[in-house]
Amino acid sequence: MTKSKLAQLSVDALKKEYPKAECSLLYKDPLQLLISTRLAAQCTDARVNIVTPALFNKFKSVKDFAKSTPEEIEPYIKSCGFYKVKSKDIVNMCKMLIDNFNGVVPDSIDELTKLPGVGRKTANLVVGDIYGKPAVVVDTHCMRITKRLGFHELKDPAKIEKVLREVLPADESNDFCHRLVLHGRAVCKAINPKCDKCCMREFCKFSKTEVKNNKCVKA
C-alpha cells in the first residue's frame, strides 16, 4: 500500500469516528491560542484551560503582556510547569509581536517560529486553526500513531511533518492531526492501546503485528 493510499484511508476512518475535529485548547483570538499553546508544552490542555481564564482576564491584549514582567505572569501559570521559562517567553513574544508585526500574530510558519518559545508545532497549530492554511501539528500523539500506522520510522518531528505533508490531502491535514489527538487519548494510547476498538485496525501496521502477539488490550 502506498503512503498516499494509507493517508486517505486514515483520514476517512478518523473523520467517520470523530466528526468534530477541533483544538482542545480554549481561546477567543489568535494571541490567546498562541499563548495557550506555549503553556501546553509539557502540560495537559485541560490544565491550560483551567489557568488561562484568569490570565486572559488580567492581561487582555498583546500590549498588556508586553508591558508586564515574567514575575507578574508567573503566579497565573505556575501549575502549568516550567512557568519561569514560559512567562519569559510570553512577555518576549508579545514584545516582538509589537516591534516586528504591529501587534498582529503572523500567518506564516517562518514568521511565527521567529517568536521566542514558538516551534513548528505551535506555528502549525496557529496557521491551521486561525488562518485556515494546510498544517501538520506533530505532537506526541501524531508521532506515535503515524509511526504505528506505517507512515515512518522517525523520531524527528520536522522530518515527520515533511513526510505527512507529502501524502496528506492539504485540506484535511489540520483536522487529521486534531483527530489523532482524540484517538490517541481514547484508543491508541502509548501503553496498552485498544487495537480491537481502533477504526484503523484493518490497515494499521502496528495492529496487525501486535494483535498477533497479544500486546493490545481488549476493551
Side-chain angles (χ1 to χ4, degrees):
M1 183 188 301
T2 66
K3 289 182 180 179
S4 294
K5 177 63 175 177
L6 176 61
Q8 192 60 61
L9 288 172
S10 302
V11 165
D12 291 343
L14 288 172
K15 185 185 292 188
K16 183 178 180 180
E17 189 76 7
Y18 309 98
K20 189 176 181 180
E22 60 183 16
C23 180
S24 56
L25 291 169
L26 302 177
Y27 63 94
K28 294 180 180 178
D29 56 48
L31 179 64
Q32 288 189 2
L33 178 60
L34 182 64
I35 291 174
S36 293
T37 308
R38 179 65 189 98
L39 293 176
Q42 290 85 45
C43 180
T44 66
D45 290 355
R47 168 53 54 183
V48 173
N49 289 338
I50 290 173
V51 306
T52 50
L55 177 69
F56 295 144
N57 186 58
K58 173 65 176 179
F59 306 97
K60 293 180 168 61
S61 69
V62 65
K63 290 182 180 180
D64 289 341
F65 279 107
K67 290 188 297 184
S68 69
T69 65
E71 290 73 23
E72 290 178 282
I73 293 175
E74 285 176 6
Y76 293 91
I77 67 170
K78 193 169 185 178
S79 64
C80 290
F82 300 95
Y83 64 95
K84 289 187 178 294
V85 173
K86 291 178 181 179
S87 62
K88 290 179 182 177
D89 284 344
I90 290 170
V91 171
N92 289 331
M93 76 166 62
C94 288
K95 287 180 178 178
M96 187 177 235
L97 283 173
I98 291 173
D99 292 341
N100 295 17
F101 302 102
N102 296 315
V104 178
V105 175
D107 64 353
S108 78
I109 291 176
D110 287 343
E111 290 179 326
L112 282 163
T113 51
K114 293 176 183 177
L115 297 171
V118 177
R120 291 192 66 85
K121 182 176 75 172
T122 297
N124 269 282
L125 183 62
V126 170
V127 300
D129 277 34
I130 298 298
Y131 297 109
K133 295 184 177 183
V136 177
V137 180
V138 182
D139 65 358
T140 181
H141 297 291
C142 179
M143 293 175 69
R144 180 177 71 255
I145 298 173
T146 54
K147 179 178 180 180
R148 286 176 174 176
L149 283 167
F151 282 103
H152 60 83
E153 291 292 334
L154 302 169
K155 295 182 179 180
D156 184 339
K159 292 180 179 178
I160 294 172
E161 180 189 333
K162 184 175 185 297
V163 168
L164 295 178
R165 281 186 178 275
E166 290 174 351
V167 296
L168 286 170
D171 60 340
E172 297 280 3
S173 60
N174 194 47
D175 285 347
F176 174 77
C177 293
H178 283 318
R179 291 182 172 110
L180 287 179
V181 173
L182 298 174
H183 193 62
R185 289 172 178 168
V187 178
C188 194
K189 301 180 180 182
I191 300 174
N192 296 329
K194 302 172 183 177
C195 294
D196 66 312
K197 288 186 64 178
C198 182
C199 58
M200 299 183 286
R201 62 185 178 276
E202 297 300 325
F203 52 84
C204 175
K205 179 181 176 182
F206 176 86
S207 178
K208 290 179 180 179
T209 301
E210 299 304 292
V211 168
K212 290 180 180 178
N213 296 332
N214 295 317
K215 292 185 179 181
C216 292
V217 173
K218 291 185 178 182

